[in-house]
Amino acid sequence: MASSHSSSPVPQSNSSDAFFKKEVDTTKRFRAVQSLPDVCPKEPTGNAGNPNNLCDSPSLVADQQRWTIYHSKVNLPAALNDPRLAKRESDFFTKTWGVDFVDTEVTPSFCLPQITKEHFALYQQEITPREKVHERCKSICTPKDTFDRTLLHTHDKSRTDLEQVPKIFMKPDFALEDSITFNAVLPWSHFSTAGGKGNRDAASSKLLQEKLSHYLDIVEVNIAHQISLRSEAFFHAMTSQHELQDYLRKTSQAVKLLREKISKIDKVMCEGSLRVLRLSLTRNNCIKAYNKLKLMATVHQTQPTVQLLLSTSEYVGALDLIATTQEVLQQELQGIHSFRHLGSQLCELEKLIDKMMIAEFSTYAHNDLNRPLEDDCQILEEERLVSLVFGLLKQRKLNFHEIYGDEMINTAKNIIKQCVVNTVSQIEEIDTEVVVKLADQMRMMNFPQWFELLKNIFSKFTIFLKRVKATLSTIHSVVFLVLDKNQKTRDLEDTLQKSSAKESMVDSEVAYLTHEGMFISDAFGDGELPAGAADSASQRNTSPNSEPCSSDSVSEPECTTDSSSSKEHTSSSVTPRGVEMMISDDMKLTDLELVRLANNIQELLYNASDICHDRSVKFLMARAKDGFLEKLNSNEFVTLSRLMEGFILDTEQICGRKSMSLRGALQSQANRFVNRFHEERKTKLSLLLDNERWKQAEVPAEFQDLVDSVSDGRISAPEKNPTATEERKPAEFLIVEGQKYATVGTVLLLIRIILEYCQCVDNIPSITTDMLTRLSDLLKYFNSRSCQLVLGAGALQVVGLKTITTKNLALSSRCLQLIVHYIPIIRAHFEARLQPKQFSMLRHFDHITKDYHDHIAEISAKLVAIMDSLFDKLLSKYEVKAPVPSACFRNICKQTAKMHEAIYDLLPEEQTQTLFLRINASYKLHLKRQLAHLNVVNDGGPLNGLVTSDVAFYTGNLQALKGLKNLDLNMAEIWEKR
């Protein structure tokens, strides 16, 4: 209605042609405006560019005899006006919408959707630019002056009438559903009382109804006026309608004929091909349905198959089957109602398998470690072990090695307990009913019995460690095979990524054909495919295990049982012992986890060695409580030490790492043994020295053999030959490298003790430093004690000697010289067994050597001092007078002869000559002093002659002694030089 007032008046019939031409010309000057969508759908235009027209429009070929909605025609005023009611009857609502409007409640239709403003948003977006163009065209086109004054007057009158209608009815957004608009048009004050009660309210309602009716009449009159103004155009259109109907009739017949021909062509050429395509798709759908049913049947058998695999301990196969089934359920059988609980059941079954594998591994570890410890170190059921470890790795149960570690501890305890029980049961002296505890029973064994028990325990532990090493090596190899498989998988993925990057260009060219590949392969033969599509399809639909598809077989890629993502690729690997196993690609373990597990397994082998050593230490400590080990003699302790050292070396060779617990216990016992060993030897040496009378002792043959065994600077124990020793008589001297040594019995025993120290170091290398310190202490003790007894004259009180003679002194010196002879040999022996950082301890031998040399020098000085005092005593009374030789010189020669007789057989000739040279020098000093006192000079006088005669007597007697014949006495020094 608003548009009718703003539009231009319609021209008369005589100018209608010009008007229409004018409109056409104006459309050429401006951009063509799209027309609003028609109310009634149009017939198909035959536009081939829009194939949807054939589907959305009625078909004249197939539907010309059927009534459709396009045949319906309704008069709009007849639809709006109700002929059954009077024009002014009732109020506004009953007049407009029927008598039952107030009392009848209309139920909303379920078939009609709820329409909101959002449904018209798209229309508003489309119509807004059109409205703008329309407004712009209105502003450009100016009103024409060709209208008659009558028309203008009529137009002004109608405009005046329309101005009586409120502007609210003319608004383009007029809508009664708006509460503000509704209240403005129909104030509620006119309807305050229900049912029209109250005359005043009824009159107001009547007045409102009359006013609205008046507005309606004005609008209808204006509409009729506008229609009358355009009547000629209407009749012209009706005339043109008859001609148009003739054209449409002819066109309809042509279209009908065309459609009949197209229908025949469709039946002859298209229906068969389309039917082939439809049947092909149907066949493929049937194949897929068959494979789905087949897959469902296979999945249905999962649980019985898993139970069967578990009955044969095939945990890996069961887990692989569960994983594959879970993947198939999630990808290919998702939403199947019958399998809705199968996924949770498989998860529970997988948890059960985890517990079964852990229990099975615990049982295996117990059976493997507790079987009889024979020499056989083969792995128990290696295939079963590999399967268990593989399954545990697959389930990420990486703490299974702790189970094996706990079992190792229990087994080590049981080994010692069983060995003790078996040994005790074979000893009749031990009453197991009286002595109940195993530890007490063990303490009742003597050393040979206990040593055999310890030897048996060590042998059992060695076999135990070999078995543990073999088992852990197999587990270690499985872990490293999985690690190697992961590395190979990553390398393969890198290679595939590089190759896929190179083929990306080729794949992009056939991407569309690949996407539509199923329809292409169904609609055409392989020979009709384009080259690129054929190659792409062959690459994607061919697998190493695929076979050609026939009408009775199903082997197409989309029809396989397992999807490409659910296939588990496996590779075969062989353990170092020849057990073949299949490694799948679903081992979701990182390299860091696998390396950490391998290190834990290697550490478990080290722990096995530590466990054996710890249990052995506890066994030793249990036996050592009563001081049993400290009471062992050197041979027994050496035997024990060698056994323990051998076991330690065996465990280090098996496990590849040193365990310090048993070595530390051995060192502790060795230190105690060294202390006791040293105290016994030192006490023995002290007793020997306290009872030594310092007389030359005979040398038994065994001591000579003992000395002879120390040859070439090496100390070794002599081979005992009891028969040869009994036949040989004791010798007077000890022969050492061709020299005769007169010794006392204490020194002979000391040499044996020294060799025992050295031999103990050979047998127990760990006590080398302690033995060196103790031996140094022993040698120092002998030196100091012998000095106290001989030089200090302690033997007079200890042994009861009357005096310390020159023979005692010479014998003591010779004994010291014998010890000094062996000190370099002892030093070399210890040096070969010390670490380079311990060489500083060898300085003890240097100090001892110096002390011994000083002691020997003191003895020599003592012998010279004895003669010096004698010379001083005798020569102080010397008088030069007849007879010759004088009594003084005869006495001097006599004492010198006694001295020579005492030491000649004890000391070597060189030392005797050196000693007598020193005695002669003392003699000359005292004689020179006496001659000076007597004023006797070398003047050839009588006194000089007497002295010369006495000196000649002394010289003759001294040179007549054995070994002193060539001694240069140089007696001219007795005279004062003038």
Side-chain angles (χ1 to χ4, degrees), residues 486 705 787 896 975:
N486 288 353
D705 294 338
C787 181
T896 303
W975 303 107

Side-chain angles (χ1 to χ4, degrees), residues 125-402:
Q125 292 178 3
E126 292 179 355
I127 206 63
T128 299
R130 299 179 184 178
E131 182 181 3
K132 292 180 180 179
V133 173
H134 177 67
E135 293 295 333
R136 188 165 60 250
C137 292
K138 283 168 54 179
S139 62
I140 294 173
C141 295
T142 58
K144 301 301 179 180
D145 297 333
T146 58
F147 301 109
D148 295 338
R149 291 182 179 273
T150 304
L151 294 176
L152 292 175
H153 176 71
T154 305
H155 177 68
D156 292 338
K157 184 180 179 181
S158 62
R159 177 178 295 179
T160 303
D161 294 336
L162 284 176
E163 286 178 354
Q164 297 177 9
V165 180
K167 299 297 182 180
I168 191 173
F169 292 103
M170 305 301 179
K171 290 184 178 180
D173 56 349
F174 176 80
L176 284 176
E177 63 265 17
D178 187 4
S179 59
I180 298 176
T181 305
F182 189 84
N183 292 330
V185 174
L186 301 173
W188 285 104
S189 59
H190 298 281
F191 308 100
S192 58
T193 57
K197 292 182 180 181
N199 296 327
R200 186 177 180 180
D201 294 337
S204 298
S205 179
K206 292 280 187 180
L207 180 60
L208 177 61
Q209 184 175 354
E210 291 294 335
K211 186 186 293 184
L212 293 177
S213 298
H214 176 64
Y215 294 157
L216 178 61
D217 293 339
I218 292 172
V219 172
E220 288 179 350
V221 169
N222 277 275
I223 290 174
H225 177 68
Q226 291 294 333
I227 292 174
S228 65
L229 292 178
R230 292 174 174 82
S231 59
E232 291 191 8
F234 174 75
F235 289 117
H236 177 74
M238 291 300 295
T239 304
S240 301
Q241 182 69 22
H242 294 290
E243 297 178 0
L244 182 61
Q245 287 181 353
D246 294 336
Y247 288 127
L248 288 177
R249 191 179 299 107
K250 294 179 182 179
T251 303
S252 175
Q253 293 176 356
V255 169
K256 181 178 179 181
L257 180 62
L258 179 60
R259 290 195 174 184
E260 289 178 355
K261 292 181 179 180
I262 291 174
S263 177
K264 293 180 181 180
I265 293 173
D266 178 61
K267 291 181 180 179
V268 174
M269 300 186 65
C270 299
E271 284 188 359
S273 299
L274 292 175
R275 187 169 177 271
V276 170
L277 289 175
R278 193 179 299 109
L279 291 176
S280 178
L281 292 176
T282 303
R283 175 180 176 274
N284 287 336
N285 291 335
C286 292
I287 290 174
K288 290 179 181 179
Y290 169 74
N291 284 328
K292 287 292 182 183
L293 293 174
K294 195 175 177 182
L295 182 58
M296 291 175 62
T298 304
V299 171
H300 183 68
Q301 295 297 322
T302 298
Q303 287 180 310
T305 307
V306 169
Q307 297 292 342
L308 181 62
L309 291 173
L310 293 179
S311 64
T312 58
S313 299
E314 289 290 339
Y315 298 106
V316 179
L319 291 172
D320 289 339
L321 180 58
I322 290 175
T324 304
T325 305
Q326 290 277 29
E327 194 169 358
V328 170
L329 287 175
Q330 293 176 1
Q331 295 183 2
E332 299 188 17
L333 299 181
Q334 189 175 11
I336 305 262
H337 186 71
S338 60
F339 289 150
R340 64 188 183 278
H341 301 305
L342 182 59
S344 59
Q345 292 173 357
L346 291 178
C347 290
E348 294 298 327
L349 190 59
E350 190 173 1
K351 295 178 182 178
L352 177 62
I353 292 176
D354 291 347
K355 296 179 181 179
M356 291 177 63
M357 284 194 299
I358 294 174
E360 183 74 12
F361 185 80
S362 179
T363 304
Y364 174 85
H366 179 77
N367 295 336
D368 178 49
L369 296 177
N370 289 277
R371 54 186 169 140
L373 292 169
E374 305 297 337
D375 293 336
D376 183 17
C377 298
Q378 297 295 326
I379 301 176
L380 179 67
E381 300 179 9
E382 184 176 4
E383 294 182 355
R384 176 186 173 194
L385 173 63
V386 170
S387 177
L388 282 172
V389 173
F390 203 50
L392 292 169
L393 292 178
K394 187 179 181 66
Q395 294 303 104
R396 300 178 64 87
K397 302 296 181 181
L398 304 182
N399 59 343
F400 63 90
H401 62 278
E402 297 177 359

Side-chain angles (χ1 to χ4, degrees), residues 505-522:
M505 296 299 294
V506 179
D507 291 340
S508 63
E509 293 177 359
V510 295
Y512 176 76
L513 293 177
T514 303
H515 180 69
E516 301 293 337
M518 179 180 69
F519 299 98
I520 293 174
S521 61
D522 291 336

Side-chain angles (χ1 to χ4, degrees), residues 698-709 718-736 748:
E698 294 181 345
V699 180
E702 59 176 330
F703 285 96
Q704 184 62 54
D705 294 338
L706 185 65
V707 170
D708 294 339
S709 65
E719 296 181 359
K720 294 184 178 181
N721 190 355
T723 305
T725 304
E726 292 177 358
E727 294 177 355
R728 295 165 55 188
K729 296 180 179 180
E732 186 177 0
F733 296 95
L734 183 66
I735 308 300
V736 179
L748 293 176

Side-chain angles (χ1 to χ4, degrees), residues 911-927:
Q911 293 183 20
T912 303
Q913 291 177 358
T914 303
L915 181 62
F916 273 90
L917 282 175
R918 294 177 62 187
I919 292 173
N920 181 58
S922 177
Y923 162 75
K924 290 188 292 183
L925 179 62
H926 285 285
L927 180 60

Side-chain angles (χ1 to χ4, degrees), residues 416-447 449-450 453 619 622-623 626 628:
I416 293 181
K417 183 178 180 180
Q418 190 62 38
C419 289
V420 173
V421 170
N422 294 339
T423 304
V424 169
S425 63
Q426 297 175 1
I427 300 175
E428 298 178 356
E429 293 81 2
I430 300 176
D431 191 355
T432 56
E433 296 180 356
V434 177
V435 183
V436 179
K437 294 183 178 180
L438 284 178
D440 297 335
Q441 296 173 0
M442 178 191 64
R443 294 189 187 97
M444 296 180 66
M445 300 179 186
N446 54 31
F447 178 76
Q449 294 171 344
W450 181 81
L453 172 60
F619 179 76
R623 189 65 182 93
D626 55 354
F628 172 77

